[in-house]
Amino acid sequence: MKLAGLSLKENTSGKHKGRTKITKRGRKKLRALLFRVCMIMVAKNSAFKALHAYYTQRPDNPLKKMQSLIALCNKLIRILFAIGKKQFEFSEERMLKDIPHMRAKIEVEKAA
């Protein structure tokens, strides 16, 4: 995430607490590529679509659409790193089970 420039940084000084933004101190092309891939993943992949919907529509602290896409870019980086390191196949169900708020939704859907 740091290499892509997607790390978060808060702009603060003394008592002033500023906005939190991404640092943009990394590979510009990597960041652009990840963003484009996330846009397609949200459109085509049901797991990423569900996560995007949750992030933008959650009752407490909903994210704006762009903030949600950046969060999904970070998620995609972590997934790709784990796949490369541990050599396993991507599973949408497994990804959603690892997220506590999504696990409850999956269990409700299976029960119905």
Side-chain angles (χ1 to χ4, degrees):
M1 288 183 280
K2 192 171 185 177
L3 182 67
L6 292 173
S7 303
L8 294 177
K9 178 186 140 209
E10 187 175 33
N11 191 8
T12 60
S13 175
K15 292 183 181 180
H16 171 70
K17 185 173 182 178
R19 293 185 356 178
T20 303
K21 294 183 176 184
I22 60 173
T23 58
K24 294 186 182 179
R25 284 186 160 221
R27 308 291 194 276
K28 183 178 180 179
K29 290 181 181 180
L30 176 61
R31 192 168 49 250
L33 179 70
L34 283 169
F35 183 76
R36 288 187 188 114
V37 168
C38 278
M39 294 271 291
I40 294 169
M41 293 289 279
V42 167
K44 303 286 183 183
N45 188 301
S46 60
F48 275 85
K49 189 181 290 188
L51 270 177
H52 181 66
Y54 170 75
Y55 285 148
T56 55
Q57 299 169 359
R58 60 186 173 185
D60 57 324
N61 192 21
L63 298 177
K64 295 177 183 170
K65 291 180 182 180
M66 185 67 75
Q67 291 172 327
S68 173
L69 287 173
I70 297 300
L72 290 174
C73 285
N74 288 334
K75 180 74 173 172
L76 182 62
I77 289 172
R78 289 191 299 271
I79 289 170
L80 293 175
F81 180 78
I83 288 173
K85 187 172 184 179
K86 297 178 183 174
Q87 299 296 314
F88 64 87
E89 291 184 20
F90 174 72
S91 169
E92 292 180 13
E93 289 180 16
R94 184 175 174 194
M95 181 187 88
L96 293 176
K97 282 182 184 177
D98 291 341
I99 303 169
H101 59 271
M102 297 303 278
R103 185 182 311 139
K105 285 184 180 182
I106 293 172
E107 291 172 358
V108 169
E109 289 174 3
K110 284 187 178 181

